[in-house]
């Protein structure tokens, strides 16, 4: 049987990632025992691709203007943060500074800025294409 590659399209509406403790690797759970999850779209999603194209276009325009020095590390880090925020489409069970934190882009930016380990965890999940094909898969 021949596999039609057109059948292999990633989930576009997001896949939940179970949040794990940065030291122990254990899935973090709420008081009811339910895993904390962050729902994201992956690198193959149109959301990610559009943001990546916009970033590349900005960099190309800077280069065409002859701007010396290119981007700073801070600018690259800020772009990466905004990419992760834009690719985060929801979450459940997230508590921060003692308060249940409703999902919003502002709150995502807040926790990803305060908790770089969590941002990296989300980035790694987003970068694994296998998480976005077929049934939902979590790390």
């Amino acid at each position: 049987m021949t596999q039609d590659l057109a059948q292999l399209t990633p989930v576009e509406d997001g896949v939940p990632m179970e949040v794990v403790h940065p030291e122990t690797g254990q899935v973090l759970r709420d008081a009811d025992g339910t895993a904390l999850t962050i729902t994201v779209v992956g690198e193959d999603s149109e959301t990610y691709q559009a943001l990546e194209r916009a970033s590349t276009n900005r960099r190309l325009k800077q280069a065409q203007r002859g701007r010396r020095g290119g981007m700073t590390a801070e600018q690259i880090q800020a772009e990466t943060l905004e990419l992760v925020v834009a690719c985060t489409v929801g979450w459940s069970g997230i508590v921060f500074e003692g308060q249940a934190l409703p999902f919003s882009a502002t709150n995502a930016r807040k926790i990803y800025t305060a908790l770089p380990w969590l941002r990296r965890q989300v980035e790694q999940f987003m970068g694994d294409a296998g998480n976005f094909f077929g049934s939902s898969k979590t790390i």
Side-chain angles (χ1 to χ4, degrees), residues 64-83:
Q64 288 171 346
R65 289 188 209 130
R67 190 168 166 214
R68 299 206 181 259
M71 295 185 71
T72 65
E74 292 81 7
Q75 289 170 318
I76 293 169
Q77 190 174 37
E79 277 193 6
T80 302
L81 173 64
E82 290 309 310
L83 182 65

Side-chain angles (χ1 to χ4, degrees), residues 35-58:
L36 308 185
T37 62
I38 297 178
T39 302
V40 296
V41 297
E43 292 181 357
D44 291 328
S45 71
E46 183 52 38
T47 299
Y48 186 99
Q49 293 295 315
L51 289 166
E52 192 170 68
R53 285 189 298 271
S55 174
T56 300
N57 286 336
R58 274 191 304 277

